[in-house]
Amino acid sequence: MPRPVKPDRPVIAEPVVEPIQGTTIVVIHAGSSVLRIGRTTDHYPHSIPHVIARKITSNDLFSKYSGKNLFIRKGGQHAESDDKKAHGLRSAKTLIQAMRISGGHRKPRTTPAEVASYNSQVRPAAVDNDGSVSWTDVSAMPNFFIGEQVLSLPSSAPYSIRWPMAHGQLNIHSSVGGSVTSIAADLQTLWGSAIETYLEIPVKDLNYYRAVLLIPDIFERAHVKVLVDVLLNRLKFSCVIVGQESVCGAFGSGLPSACVVDVGAEKTSICCVEDGISLPSTRVTLNYGGNDITRCFYWLLKMANFPYRSIDTEDQFDAQLLQELKETFCHLSMEIPSGHVHEFQVVRPNENILVYKLRLGDEPLLAPTSMFVPDLFGIVDEPLIKTFPEILECDPEDLMDHRYLLEKRDVDTKKAKGENENESQEFISLSHTAPIEHAKLKALRLDGMPLDEAIMYSIEQCSNQETKRKMYGTVLLIGGGMNFKGTDEFLLKRLQSQLSPHYHFMKEQMEVITRPKENDPRTAGWKGGTVLSILDSSQELWISRKEWNQYGVRILRERCAFQWSTNMDKQ
């Protein structure tokens, strides 16, 4: 006897599993600042700036830089920002002093006054330019540039620079180029050009290829829908599989279970992964990351009389220079003494190279400490913590979205009134789950949460003690935002110091892994995407273009290897 079909849930055909080859699978990890892309068979992905520049026509009446700038953050330009940073600086110095004492590192420290005095007297030395850095050639006036070429465009070039992603989501804004339609077109052009340039696959042949798409753990469903549509209907991939960053990060590190901490350029994602499954209740996103550390480092350098006084943070070369200085000098090691004199170069096309001396005190240590003292970022009136996506609109294609479910509950509640009162109350209770969770963190959303406390919060959301012990035992730190010397030991000590008494026995078992299998932590998620694509258990998760166009977003509910629903639509 055939099984009855529920009228409110669409019937989706079972996927057809076909033998596939790794050379025909492209893995795409689209970050806010970096696009990592490559075949499943590649050892490493191609990493390029995730940016596109489009030619401005004579009819365009908008600013060249309609996207975003590394050193412009609305919440960091508030009237109260400086006071908040000053408070954060005092707290960070206290924290560092405590860490030094606990580690037995009582080395003499150069004072800020000595550092500032030295730097104020520095004058650059000019040397001949070897021509290794040049402006992007715009003589042919192509319709667009991508990646590194965008960052080397002359300031006079008639191009609009756009970053399609921000904080792990679509970079939707009110300027021209910030609509969903424009962003989808930019992604199509940017990804398509990267595939042709770096993977040497003609876009017209993508019908013979499959794509793996990595998305954040806390995702906006409408944004995922756009990304999948770009891959299947714009770039014409034959199939796509969607994986979450935390799970892929664990896979790429060879760990079935871990508390995954992914520090990116603009966000930090924390999620507990158990046996390859992302635990929804443990997902936390902090809306700050590596770029905020760079901004903090620059603020500290200015207080130390940074000798490159003509620096322009809106200039792409100067912005890249500050990123390089952060990556070169910043650390979280108590063993590195302060007061050393370093050297750096300012290299610009068609100009002499300027060589500067730079004395540094605790600035390289204080900047990354901002992840543990978020007041140092000086961000005011911006939501800094997210535990689930904000559902703003309903999707008419998704018959099981949150509004449909809530309306159905109302109808079912009325029908069951007087008969199933307990069940009705359960429906009502579930519909309020998300607002209650939202209220719990309301006070923290604007002040931020230190990285160590956010990790503890995530682990404590696990449902049982055994899982919690497992997560405390393996904290995996990936991404490029905190790739500093000494980060693993610093974070481990911070976590150990906050363990509740009944977990003290775990101290010796705790481990913070920053270089899984000695690989680059920045590529762990991408590597996990290659693993996901070849797992036997993943072969039924592929979504074909035909299925996508027939069923739309509904098929993501059936084929995703994670919970597509949010707290708002629990059943």
Side-chain angles (χ1 to χ4, degrees), residues 486-505:
T487 300
D488 51 351
E489 184 178 355
F490 191 100
L491 178 56
L492 178 60
K493 288 184 176 180
R494 292 302 302 151
L495 293 173
Q496 288 175 333
S497 69
Q498 298 192 54
L499 275 180
S500 58
H502 61 280
Y503 280 124
H504 278 181
F505 72 94

mmCIF file with all atom_site columns, all heavy atoms in Angstrom, residues 486-505:
data_model
loop_
_atom_site.group_PDB
_atom_site.id
_atom_site.type_symbol
_atom_site.label_atom_id
_atom_site.label_alt_id
_atom_site.label_comp_id
_atom_site.label_asym_id
_atom_site.label_entity_id
_atom_site.label_seq_id
_atom_site.pdbx_PDB_ins_code
_atom_site.Cartn_x
_atom_site.Cartn_y
_atom_site.Cartn_z
_atom_site.occupancy
_atom_site.B_iso_or_equiv
_atom_site.pdbx_formal_charge
_atom_site.auth_seq_id
_atom_site.auth_comp_id
_atom_site.auth_asym_id
_atom_site.auth_atom_id
_atom_site.pdbx_PDB_model_num
ATOM 1   N N   . GLY A 1 486 ? 52.136 32.536 18.752 1.00 0.00 ? 486 GLY A N   1
ATOM 2   C CA  . GLY A 1 486 ? 51.736 32.519 20.146 1.00 0.00 ? 486 GLY A CA  1
ATOM 3   C C   . GLY A 1 486 ? 50.241 32.516 20.390 1.00 0.00 ? 486 GLY A C   1
ATOM 4   O O   . GLY A 1 486 ? 49.803 32.465 21.545 1.00 0.00 ? 486 GLY A O   1
ATOM 5   N N   . THR A 1 487 ? 49.438 32.547 19.325 1.00 0.00 ? 487 THR A N   1
ATOM 6   C CA  . THR A 1 487 ? 47.985 32.607 19.504 1.00 0.00 ? 487 THR A CA  1
ATOM 7   C C   . THR A 1 487 ? 47.456 31.365 20.206 1.00 0.00 ? 487 THR A C   1
ATOM 8   O O   . THR A 1 487 ? 46.567 31.451 21.057 1.00 0.00 ? 487 THR A O   1
ATOM 9   C CB  . THR A 1 487 ? 47.281 32.777 18.143 1.00 0.00 ? 487 THR A CB  1
ATOM 10  O OG1 . THR A 1 487 ? 47.720 33.987 17.538 1.00 0.00 ? 487 THR A OG1 1
ATOM 11  C CG2 . THR A 1 487 ? 45.770 32.835 18.315 1.00 0.00 ? 487 THR A CG2 1
ATOM 12  N N   . ASP A 1 488 ? 47.985 30.195 19.853 1.00 0.00 ? 488 ASP A N   1
ATOM 13  C CA  . ASP A 1 488 ? 47.477 28.952 20.445 1.00 0.00 ? 488 ASP A CA  1
ATOM 14  C C   . ASP A 1 488 ? 47.677 28.929 21.951 1.00 0.00 ? 488 ASP A C   1
ATOM 15  O O   . ASP A 1 488 ? 46.752 28.609 22.713 1.00 0.00 ? 488 ASP A O   1
ATOM 16  C CB  . ASP A 1 488 ? 48.128 27.737 19.786 1.00 0.00 ? 488 ASP A CB  1
ATOM 17  C CG  . ASP A 1 488 ? 49.650 27.830 19.739 1.00 0.00 ? 488 ASP A CG  1
ATOM 18  O OD1 . ASP A 1 488 ? 50.191 28.911 20.054 1.00 0.00 ? 488 ASP A OD1 1
ATOM 19  O OD2 . ASP A 1 488 ? 50.296 26.825 19.382 1.00 0.00 ? 488 ASP A OD2 1
ATOM 20  N N   . GLU A 1 489 ? 48.869 29.307 22.422 1.00 0.00 ? 489 GLU A N   1
ATOM 21  C CA  . GLU A 1 489 ? 49.149 29.288 23.856 1.00 0.00 ? 489 GLU A CA  1
ATOM 22  C C   . GLU A 1 489 ? 48.347 30.366 24.589 1.00 0.00 ? 489 GLU A C   1
ATOM 23  O O   . GLU A 1 489 ? 47.820 30.135 25.682 1.00 0.00 ? 489 GLU A O   1
ATOM 24  C CB  . GLU A 1 489 ? 50.645 29.499 24.103 1.00 0.00 ? 489 GLU A CB  1
ATOM 25  C CG  . GLU A 1 489 ? 51.039 29.402 25.572 1.00 0.00 ? 489 GLU A CG  1
ATOM 26  C CD  . GLU A 1 489 ? 52.532 29.563 25.780 1.00 0.00 ? 489 GLU A CD  1
ATOM 27  O OE1 . GLU A 1 489 ? 53.268 29.646 24.781 1.00 0.00 ? 489 GLU A OE1 1
ATOM 28  O OE2 . GLU A 1 489 ? 52.958 29.619 26.959 1.00 0.00 ? 489 GLU A OE2 1
ATOM 29  N N   . PHE A 1 490 ? 48.238 31.543 23.981 1.00 0.00 ? 490 PHE A N   1
ATOM 30  C CA  . PHE A 1 490 ? 47.488 32.644 24.591 1.00 0.00 ? 490 PHE A CA  1
ATOM 31  C C   . PHE A 1 490 ? 46.030 32.253 24.776 1.00 0.00 ? 490 PHE A C   1
ATOM 32  O O   . PHE A 1 490 ? 45.454 32.410 25.855 1.00 0.00 ? 490 PHE A O   1
ATOM 33  C CB  . PHE A 1 490 ? 47.606 33.890 23.706 1.00 0.00 ? 490 PHE A CB  1
ATOM 34  C CG  . PHE A 1 490 ? 47.102 35.158 24.339 1.00 0.00 ? 490 PHE A CG  1
ATOM 35  C CD1 . PHE A 1 490 ? 47.981 36.066 24.894 1.00 0.00 ? 490 PHE A CD1 1
ATOM 36  C CD2 . PHE A 1 490 ? 45.748 35.450 24.373 1.00 0.00 ? 490 PHE A CD2 1
ATOM 37  C CE1 . PHE A 1 490 ? 47.527 37.245 25.477 1.00 0.00 ? 490 PHE A CE1 1
ATOM 38  C CE2 . PHE A 1 490 ? 45.272 36.612 24.945 1.00 0.00 ? 490 PHE A CE2 1
ATOM 39  C CZ  . PHE A 1 490 ? 46.173 37.523 25.508 1.00 0.00 ? 490 PHE A CZ  1
ATOM 40  N N   . LEU A 1 491 ? 45.416 31.739 23.711 1.00 0.00 ? 491 LEU A N   1
ATOM 41  C CA  . LEU A 1 491 ? 44.011 31.357 23.772 1.00 0.00 ? 491 LEU A CA  1
ATOM 42  C C   . LEU A 1 491 ? 43.798 30.204 24.752 1.00 0.00 ? 491 LEU A C   1
ATOM 43  O O   . LEU A 1 491 ? 42.812 30.194 25.508 1.00 0.00 ? 491 LEU A O   1
ATOM 44  C CB  . LEU A 1 491 ? 43.513 30.967 22.378 1.00 0.00 ? 491 LEU A CB  1
ATOM 45  C CG  . LEU A 1 491 ? 42.061 30.487 22.281 1.00 0.00 ? 491 LEU A CG  1
ATOM 46  C CD1 . LEU A 1 491 ? 41.097 31.524 22.846 1.00 0.00 ? 491 LEU A CD1 1
ATOM 47  C CD2 . LEU A 1 491 ? 41.699 30.168 20.828 1.00 0.00 ? 491 LEU A CD2 1
ATOM 48  N N   . LEU A 1 492 ? 44.707 29.246 24.753 1.00 0.00 ? 492 LEU A N   1
ATOM 49  C CA  . LEU A 1 492 ? 44.577 28.106 25.663 1.00 0.00 ? 492 LEU A CA  1
ATOM 50  C C   . LEU A 1 492 ? 44.569 28.575 27.123 1.00 0.00 ? 492 LEU A C   1
ATOM 51  O O   . LEU A 1 492 ? 43.738 28.129 27.924 1.00 0.00 ? 492 LEU A O   1
ATOM 52  C CB  . LEU A 1 492 ? 45.721 27.119 25.433 1.00 0.00 ? 492 LEU A CB  1
ATOM 53  C CG  . LEU A 1 492 ? 45.746 25.881 26.342 1.00 0.00 ? 492 LEU A CG  1
ATOM 54  C CD1 . LEU A 1 492 ? 44.474 25.062 26.180 1.00 0.00 ? 492 LEU A CD1 1
ATOM 55  C CD2 . LEU A 1 492 ? 46.986 25.028 26.059 1.00 0.00 ? 492 LEU A CD2 1
ATOM 56  N N   . LYS A 1 493 ? 45.481 29.476 27.470 1.00 0.00 ? 493 LYS A N   1
ATOM 57  C CA  . LYS A 1 493 ? 45.538 29.972 28.850 1.00 0.00 ? 493 LYS A CA  1
ATOM 58  C C   . LYS A 1 493 ? 44.278 30.749 29.216 1.00 0.00 ? 493 LYS A C   1
ATOM 59  O O   . LYS A 1 493 ? 43.802 30.668 30.353 1.00 0.00 ? 493 LYS A O   1
ATOM 60  C CB  . LYS A 1 493 ? 46.784 30.842 29.034 1.00 0.00 ? 493 LYS A CB  1
ATOM 61  C CG  . LYS A 1 493 ? 48.078 30.053 29.059 1.00 0.00 ? 493 LYS A CG  1
ATOM 62  C CD  . LYS A 1 493 ? 49.271 30.940 29.334 1.00 0.00 ? 493 LYS A CD  1
ATOM 63  C CE  . LYS A 1 493 ? 50.549 30.117 29.442 1.00 0.00 ? 493 LYS A CE  1
ATOM 64  N NZ  . LYS A 1 493 ? 51.734 30.983 29.706 1.00 0.00 ? 493 LYS A NZ  1
ATOM 65  N N   . ARG A 1 494 ? 43.756 31.514 28.267 1.00 0.00 ? 494 ARG A N   1
ATOM 66  C CA  . ARG A 1 494 ? 42.536 32.267 28.538 1.00 0.00 ? 494 ARG A CA  1
ATOM 67  C C   . ARG A 1 494 ? 41.363 31.317 28.778 1.00 0.00 ? 494 ARG A C   1
ATOM 68  O O   . ARG A 1 494 ? 40.533 31.539 29.663 1.00 0.00 ? 494 ARG A O   1
ATOM 69  C CB  . ARG A 1 494 ? 42.205 33.208 27.374 1.00 0.00 ? 494 ARG A CB  1
ATOM 70  C CG  . ARG A 1 494 ? 43.180 34.354 27.180 1.00 0.00 ? 494 ARG A CG  1
ATOM 71  C CD  . ARG A 1 494 ? 43.302 35.212 28.420 1.00 0.00 ? 494 ARG A CD  1
ATOM 72  N NE  . ARG A 1 494 ? 42.003 35.766 28.804 1.00 0.00 ? 494 ARG A NE  1
ATOM 73  C CZ  . ARG A 1 494 ? 41.652 36.061 30.045 1.00 0.00 ? 494 ARG A CZ  1
ATOM 74  N NH1 . ARG A 1 494 ? 42.495 35.852 31.040 1.00 0.00 ? 494 ARG A NH1 1
ATOM 75  N NH2 . ARG A 1 494 ? 40.463 36.573 30.296 1.00 0.00 ? 494 ARG A NH2 1
ATOM 76  N N   . LEU A 1 495 ? 41.285 30.248 28.003 1.00 0.00 ? 495 LEU A N   1
ATOM 77  C CA  . LEU A 1 495 ? 40.195 29.282 28.190 1.00 0.00 ? 495 LEU A CA  1
ATOM 78  C C   . LEU A 1 495 ? 40.358 28.522 29.498 1.00 0.00 ? 495 LEU A C   1
ATOM 79  O O   . LEU A 1 495 ? 39.383 28.300 30.231 1.00 0.00 ? 495 LEU A O   1
ATOM 80  C CB  . LEU A 1 495 ? 40.158 28.310 27.006 1.00 0.00 ? 495 LEU A CB  1
ATOM 81  C CG  . LEU A 1 495 ? 39.769 28.898 25.647 1.00 0.00 ? 495 LEU A CG  1
ATOM 82  C CD1 . LEU A 1 495 ? 39.941 27.848 24.549 1.00 0.00 ? 495 LEU A CD1 1
ATOM 83  C CD2 . LEU A 1 495 ? 38.333 29.404 25.664 1.00 0.00 ? 495 LEU A CD2 1
ATOM 84  N N   . GLN A 1 496 ? 41.579 28.122 29.798 1.00 0.00 ? 496 GLN A N   1
ATOM 85  C CA  . GLN A 1 496 ? 41.816 27.379 31.039 1.00 0.00 ? 496 GLN A CA  1
ATOM 86  C C   . GLN A 1 496 ? 41.484 28.213 32.267 1.00 0.00 ? 496 GLN A C   1
ATOM 87  O O   . GLN A 1 496 ? 40.967 27.704 33.257 1.00 0.00 ? 496 GLN A O   1
ATOM 88  C CB  . GLN A 1 496 ? 43.278 26.926 31.094 1.00 0.00 ? 496 GLN A CB  1
ATOM 89  C CG  . GLN A 1 496 ? 43.613 25.813 30.127 1.00 0.00 ? 496 GLN A CG  1
ATOM 90  C CD  . GLN A 1 496 ? 45.083 25.470 30.128 1.00 0.00 ? 496 GLN A CD  1
ATOM 91  O OE1 . GLN A 1 496 ? 45.935 26.322 30.439 1.00 0.00 ? 496 GLN A OE1 1
ATOM 92  N NE2 . GLN A 1 496 ? 45.410 24.236 29.769 1.00 0.00 ? 496 GLN A NE2 1
ATOM 93  N N   . SER A 1 497 ? 41.763 29.513 32.203 1.00 0.00 ? 497 SER A N   1
ATOM 94  C CA  . SER A 1 497 ? 41.522 30.382 33.352 1.00 0.00 ? 497 SER A CA  1
ATOM 95  C C   . SER A 1 497 ? 40.043 30.585 33.634 1.00 0.00 ? 497 SER A C   1
ATOM 96  O O   . SER A 1 497 ? 39.673 30.995 34.742 1.00 0.00 ? 497 SER A O   1
ATOM 97  C CB  . SER A 1 497 ? 42.183 31.748 33.131 1.00 0.00 ? 497 SER A CB  1
ATOM 98  O OG  . SER A 1 497 ? 41.522 32.464 32.097 1.00 0.00 ? 497 SER A OG  1
ATOM 99  N N   . GLN A 1 498 ? 39.187 30.304 32.641 1.00 0.00 ? 498 GLN A N   1
ATOM 100 C CA  . GLN A 1 498 ? 37.754 30.537 32.815 1.00 0.00 ? 498 GLN A CA  1
ATOM 101 C C   . GLN A 1 498 ? 36.958 29.248 32.992 1.00 0.00 ? 498 GLN A C   1
ATOM 102 O O   . GLN A 1 498 ? 35.726 29.299 33.068 1.00 0.00 ? 498 GLN A O   1
ATOM 103 C CB  . GLN A 1 498 ? 37.209 31.322 31.617 1.00 0.00 ? 498 GLN A CB  1
ATOM 104 C CG  . GLN A 1 498 ? 37.846 32.690 31.471 1.00 0.00 ? 498 GLN A CG  1
ATOM 105 C CD  . GLN A 1 498 ? 37.101 33.549 30.480 1.00 0.00 ? 498 GLN A CD  1
ATOM 106 O OE1 . GLN A 1 498 ? 35.897 33.743 30.582 1.00 0.00 ? 498 GLN A OE1 1
ATOM 107 N NE2 . GLN A 1 498 ? 37.816 34.075 29.506 1.00 0.00 ? 498 GLN A NE2 1
ATOM 108 N N   . LEU A 1 499 ? 37.628 28.119 33.048 1.00 0.00 ? 499 LEU A N   1
ATOM 109 C CA  . LEU A 1 499 ? 36.912 26.856 33.241 1.00 0.00 ? 499 LEU A CA  1
ATOM 110 C C   . LEU A 1 499 ? 36.202 26.849 34.594 1.00 0.00 ? 499 LEU A C   1
ATOM 111 O O   . LEU A 1 499 ? 36.757 27.274 35.605 1.00 0.00 ? 499 LEU A O   1
ATOM 112 C CB  . LEU A 1 499 ? 37.884 25.683 33.181 1.00 0.00 ? 499 LEU A CB  1
ATOM 113 C CG  . LEU A 1 499 ? 38.234 25.104 31.816 1.00 0.00 ? 499 LEU A CG  1
ATOM 114 C CD1 . LEU A 1 499 ? 39.214 23.966 31.993 1.00 0.00 ? 499 LEU A CD1 1
ATOM 115 C CD2 . LEU A 1 499 ? 37.000 24.629 31.072 1.00 0.00 ? 499 LEU A CD2 1
ATOM 116 N N   . SER A 1 500 ? 34.981 26.381 34.602 1.00 0.00 ? 500 SER A N   1
ATOM 117 C CA  . SER A 1 500 ? 34.248 26.244 35.854 1.00 0.00 ? 500 SER A CA  1
ATOM 118 C C   . SER A 1 500 ? 34.881 25.123 36.674 1.00 0.00 ? 500 SER A C   1
ATOM 119 O O   . SER A 1 500 ? 35.542 24.230 36.121 1.00 0.00 ? 500 SER A O   1
ATOM 120 C CB  . SER A 1 500 ? 32.772 25.938 35.579 1.00 0.00 ? 500 SER A CB  1
ATOM 121 O OG  . SER A 1 500 ? 32.646 24.767 34.807 1.00 0.00 ? 500 SER A OG  1
ATOM 122 N N   . PRO A 1 501 ? 34.696 25.137 38.009 1.00 0.00 ? 501 PRO A N   1
ATOM 123 C CA  . PRO A 1 501 ? 35.375 24.164 38.880 1.00 0.00 ? 501 PRO A CA  1
ATOM 124 C C   . PRO A 1 501 ? 35.174 22.705 38.473 1.00 0.00 ? 501 PRO A C   1
ATOM 125 O O   . PRO A 1 501 ? 36.114 21.905 38.567 1.00 0.00 ? 501 PRO A O   1
ATOM 126 C CB  . PRO A 1 501 ? 34.756 24.452 40.249 1.00 0.00 ? 501 PRO A CB  1
ATOM 127 C CG  . PRO A 1 501 ? 34.383 25.897 40.186 1.00 0.00 ? 501 PRO A CG  1
ATOM 128 C CD  . PRO A 1 501 ? 33.940 26.140 38.780 1.00 0.00 ? 501 PRO A CD  1
ATOM 129 N N   . HIS A 1 502 ? 33.969 22.347 38.007 1.00 0.00 ? 502 HIS A N   1
ATOM 130 C CA  . HIS A 1 502 ? 33.753 20.932 37.699 1.00 0.00 ? 502 HIS A CA  1
ATOM 131 C C   . HIS A 1 502 ? 34.398 20.496 36.388 1.00 0.00 ? 502 HIS A C   1
ATOM 132 O O   . HIS A 1 502 ? 34.275 19.345 35.989 1.00 0.00 ? 502 HIS A O   1
ATOM 133 C CB  . HIS A 1 502 ? 32.244 20.614 37.677 1.00 0.00 ? 502 HIS A CB  1
ATOM 134 C CG  . HIS A 1 502 ? 31.466 21.365 36.650 1.00 0.00 ? 502 HIS A CG  1
ATOM 135 N ND1 . HIS A 1 502 ? 31.051 22.670 36.827 1.00 0.00 ? 502 HIS A ND1 1
ATOM 136 C CD2 . HIS A 1 502 ? 31.018 21.001 35.424 1.00 0.00 ? 502 HIS A CD2 1
ATOM 137 C CE1 . HIS A 1 502 ? 30.376 23.063 35.772 1.00 0.00 ? 502 HIS A CE1 1
ATOM 138 N NE2 . HIS A 1 502 ? 30.340 22.077 34.904 1.00 0.00 ? 502 HIS A NE2 1
ATOM 139 N N   . TYR A 1 503 ? 35.093 21.445 35.691 1.00 0.00 ? 503 TYR A N   1
ATOM 140 C CA  . TYR A 1 503 ? 35.828 21.077 34.485 1.00 0.00 ? 503 TYR A CA  1
ATOM 141 C C   . TYR A 1 503 ? 37.338 21.220 34.687 1.00 0.00 ? 503 TYR A C   1
ATOM 142 O O   . TYR A 1 503 ? 38.108 21.091 33.735 1.00 0.00 ? 503 TYR A O   1
ATOM 143 C CB  . TYR A 1 503 ? 35.405 21.959 33.308 1.00 0.00 ? 503 TYR A CB  1
ATOM 144 C CG  . TYR A 1 503 ? 34.107 21.544 32.660 1.00 0.00 ? 503 TYR A CG  1
ATOM 145 C CD1 . TYR A 1 503 ? 33.052 22.449 32.549 1.00 0.00 ? 503 TYR A CD1 1
ATOM 146 C CD2 . TYR A 1 503 ? 33.936 20.264 32.138 1.00 0.00 ? 503 TYR A CD2 1
ATOM 147 C CE1 . TYR A 1 503 ? 31.850 22.084 31.955 1.00 0.00 ? 503 TYR A CE1 1
ATOM 148 C CE2 . TYR A 1 503 ? 32.746 19.895 31.550 1.00 0.00 ? 503 TYR A CE2 1
ATOM 149 C CZ  . TYR A 1 503 ? 31.708 20.803 31.462 1.00 0.00 ? 503 TYR A CZ  1
ATOM 150 O OH  . TYR A 1 503 ? 30.528 20.429 30.873 1.00 0.00 ? 503 TYR A OH  1
ATOM 151 N N   . HIS A 1 504 ? 37.778 21.498 35.916 1.00 0.00 ? 504 HIS A N   1
ATOM 152 C CA  . HIS A 1 504 ? 39.205 21.718 36.142 1.00 0.00 ? 504 HIS A CA  1
ATOM 153 C C   . HIS A 1 504 ? 40.048 20.517 35.748 1.00 0.00 ? 504 HIS A C   1
ATOM 154 O O   . HIS A 1 504 ? 41.210 20.672 35.364 1.00 0.00 ? 504 HIS A O   1
ATOM 155 C CB  . HIS A 1 504 ? 39.451 22.091 37.604 1.00 0.00 ? 504 HIS A CB  1
ATOM 156 C CG  . HIS A 1 504 ? 39.208 23.543 37.878 1.00 0.00 ? 504 HIS A CG  1
ATOM 157 N ND1 . HIS A 1 504 ? 39.389 24.114 39.114 1.00 0.00 ? 504 HIS A ND1 1
ATOM 158 C CD2 . HIS A 1 504 ? 38.805 24.545 37.069 1.00 0.00 ? 504 HIS A CD2 1
ATOM 159 C CE1 . HIS A 1 504 ? 39.096 25.400 39.048 1.00 0.00 ? 504 HIS A CE1 1
ATOM 160 N NE2 . HIS A 1 504 ? 38.731 25.690 37.822 1.00 0.00 ? 504 HIS A NE2 1
ATOM 161 N N   . PHE A 1 505 ? 39.480 19.332 35.842 1.00 0.00 ? 505 PHE A N   1
ATOM 162 C CA  . PHE A 1 505 ? 40.228 18.137 35.458 1.00 0.00 ? 505 PHE A CA  1
ATOM 163 C C   . PHE A 1 505 ? 40.542 18.116 33.963 1.00 0.00 ? 505 PHE A C   1
ATOM 164 O O   . PHE A 1 505 ? 41.403 17.351 33.509 1.00 0.00 ? 505 PHE A O   1
ATOM 165 C CB  . PHE A 1 505 ? 39.440 16.878 35.838 1.00 0.00 ? 505 PHE A CB  1
ATOM 166 C CG  . PHE A 1 505 ? 38.231 16.631 34.972 1.00 0.00 ? 505 PHE A CG  1
ATOM 167 C CD1 . PHE A 1 505 ? 38.317 15.802 33.860 1.00 0.00 ? 505 PHE A CD1 1
ATOM 168 C CD2 . PHE A 1 505 ? 37.012 17.245 35.251 1.00 0.00 ? 505 PHE A CD2 1
ATOM 169 C CE1 . PHE A 1 505 ? 37.217 15.572 33.057 1.00 0.00 ? 505 PHE A CE1 1
ATOM 170 C CE2 . PHE A 1 505 ? 35.906 17.023 34.455 1.00 0.00 ? 505 PHE A CE2 1
ATOM 171 C CZ  . PHE A 1 505 ? 35.998 16.190 33.354 1.00 0.00 ? 505 PHE A CZ  1
#
